[in-house]
Amino acid sequence: MPLTSEVVTIDVFARWREPVVLCARTTLGTINHSLLSIEAIRARGIPLAGVTFLGEENADSERTIVALGRTRRLGRLPHLAQLTAAGLKAAFAAHFNLDDFLKDPVP
């Protein structure tokens, strides 16, 4: 995503050198898009904490991305009918293990 006509978001992440979480949709095309994004992250030397998925469960695609991308699956945030603080908190509690976010990034 361009921030200016000369700077894209991934360039900022590369300067920061902080671990990033790749957010991947669970819809058609996500495997290719996610693997290309993982490759771009690693090519710039950005630590990758792992991938979190957004949307309805697609276990096969999620497994494929994690295996081929040699990364961690951090969890999946399902579609929420209404975005509220309480609903988001409940979804994270049900679908994520916060300890996974504290592990060393995947090289």
Side-chain angles (χ1 to χ4, degrees):
M1 173 177 185
L3 298 174
T4 70
S5 60
E6 298 174 2
V7 178
V8 292
T9 305
I10 197 167
D11 294 331
V12 175
F13 291 145
R15 278 188 237 138
W16 289 344
R17 297 281 186 226
E18 293 293 330
V20 299
V21 173
L22 178 64
C23 297
R25 296 173 298 130
T26 58
T27 56
L28 183 64
T30 195
I31 294 173
N32 187 58
H33 183 263
S34 298
L35 293 176
L36 288 172
S37 296
I38 290 169
E39 185 176 324
I41 288 166
R42 290 194 172 131
R44 287 170 175 81
I46 302 168
L48 178 62
V51 179
T52 186
F53 295 94
L54 306 173
E56 300 307 315
E57 183 177 16
N58 189 332
D60 187 53
S61 290
E62 294 174 32
R63 275 191 305 271
T64 300
I65 291 165
V66 168
L68 293 177
R70 297 177 323 279
T71 191
R72 276 195 296 271
R73 180 189 183 279
L74 298 174
R76 181 183 55 80
L77 186 63
H79 176 76
L80 302 175
Q82 187 174 19
L83 187 59
T84 64
L88 192 56
K89 183 178 180 180
F92 268 98
H95 298 280
F96 288 84
N97 178 351
L98 294 182
D99 290 338
D100 289 339
F101 288 84
L102 301 175
K103 294 178 183 173
D104 287 333
V106 178

